[in-house]
Amino acid sequence: MTCKGKLIIILLGPPGAGKGTQAKLIENKYNIPHISTGDILRDAIDKNSTLGKNANDYMHKGELVPDDLVFDLIKERVENPDCKYGALFDGFPRNLAQAKMLMNIQYVKQSKNFFVFLINISDDEAIRRLSNRRYCPKCKSIYNLIHKIPERKKNGIYLCDNCGTELIIRDDDKVETIKNRLKVYHESAEHMINFFKELSVLHIITNSIEQDVFRDITRIIEAESTLEKD
Ligand SMILES: [Zn+2]
């Protein structure tokens, strides 16, 4: 499916909401690139562009890359030919300041098909999902004790289906860290969510099963946009 005008989608939601999975599904269905700040930063650093060098300085010092620099990188990124029919943002904007910046980009202003989806899961559900993640330090496979359970166990420890290595819980997926990530999320997301609500572009998805979330998202896009079937 392609778009008459540009299709711009922003995915919001707490850690564990499954934004990455939805991003892949949306990217495939609507042929728009999935733009994440992490990828943009890595890309700019690889290319050794001026912006990339600046970003690298901050990251090297272990500091957050400032909003205006992220903004410049996003502006540069949407000029790429693959963004001709639109773009999907994941992990950006992260706060109200970034949201306001984004709405000021000409590329975004011109789009008649602009959607913000908030995949809303409770903190308890986020903790349940993330704390059940297991990770293979060797081949980097990711498991989940709720729906992607490894087949073998040794001395009470799950083993990687792929390479037999003992699986670990990443620091990011430890309950205390998850609680902290959720706190940071709520603090920075609340004002941004209200901002999008006031612009009447916010859609809150309350389903939590992957297929249902995707079905809700596509229904909304198809009902409210100028999309055309190929
Ligand atoms: Zn493995």
Side-chain angles (χ1 to χ4, degrees):
M1 205 172 280
T2 51
C3 225
K4 237 180 182 176
K6 284 188 218 78
L7 172 65
I8 298 179
I9 297 174
I10 293 174
L11 284 182
L12 303 178
K19 295 191 294 293
T21 309
Q22 296 303 323
K24 278 198 198 87
L25 294 167
I26 293 168
E27 186 178 22
N28 288 337
K29 186 170 172 79
Y30 297 106
N31 294 313
I32 54 174
H34 172 195
I35 297 177
S36 80
T37 23
D39 289 345
I40 292 184
L41 286 170
R42 274 187 292 276
D43 203 43
I45 290 166
D46 285 349
K47 281 187 195 147
N48 213 17
S49 67
T50 314
L51 289 174
K53 277 183 206 154
N54 284 339
N56 201 20
D57 285 344
Y58 285 100
M59 287 160 84
H60 213 75
K61 284 184 268 179
E63 288 171 17
L64 272 179
V65 179
D67 286 344
D68 52 349
L69 185 50
V70 174
F71 176 66
D72 286 341
L73 286 164
I74 299 263
K75 262 201 306 201
E76 200 177 71
R77 176 65 184 84
V78 294
E79 294 299 321
N80 281 14
D82 65 339
C83 295
K84 194 176 162 197
Y85 298 109
L88 163 69
F89 295 97
D90 165 19
F92 180 88
R94 209 172 270 285
N95 53 43
L96 180 62
Q98 288 189 353
K100 285 182 173 168
M101 282 177 179
L102 181 74
M103 297 312 288
N104 269 318
I105 300 180
Q106 203 55 31
Y107 178 83
V108 173
K109 276 187 186 168
Q110 285 166 349
S111 167
K112 289 187 182 72
N113 301 311
F114 181 83
F115 298 90
V116 180
F117 294 106
L118 168 63
I119 308 173
N120 222 1
I121 61 166
S122 68
D123 283 6
D124 285 345
E125 177 63 10
I127 291 168
R128 189 180 78 95
R129 290 184 187 183
L130 295 173
S131 63
N132 275 294
R133 275 193 193 166
R134 295 294 180 273
Y135 176 75
C136 173
K138 195 176 173 198
C139 74
K140 322 273 184 241
S141 297
I142 296 170
Y143 298 86
N144 192 300
L145 305 185
I146 305 168
H147 56 75
K148 197 188 170 198
I149 307 165
E151 283 174 8
R152 288 173 297 156
K153 236 180 179 180
K154 195 178 137 195
N155 302 329
I157 296 168
Y158 282 104
L159 304 176
C160 179
D161 290 345
N162 203 20
C163 70
T165 307
E166 287 188 0
L167 301 180
I168 58 163
I169 304 175
R170 279 186 298 197
D171 285 340
D172 249 15
D173 299 332
K174 288 180 179 154
V175 174
E176 277 319 300
T177 319
I178 300 167
K179 283 186 180 164
N180 198 36
R181 286 167 68 195
L182 286 167
K183 191 171 158 260
V184 171
Y185 165 77
H186 288 301
E187 280 167 3
S188 57
E190 199 181 312
H191 297 294
M192 170 175 68
I193 289 166
N194 284 333
F195 170 73
F196 285 128
K197 201 182 278 171
E198 278 163 24
L199 292 177
S200 306
V201 291
L202 181 74
H203 302 271
I204 299 174
I205 310 286
T206 47
N207 261 316
S208 66
I209 301 164
E210 273 172 18
Q211 300 92 301
D212 295 344
V213 172
F214 186 57
R215 188 203 58 211
D216 288 355
I217 289 176
T218 51
R219 270 190 194 160
I220 293 166
I221 293 174
E222 273 145 49
E224 297 189 15
S225 69
T226 53
L227 283 170
E228 277 187 336
K229 287 204 167 73
D230 286 332

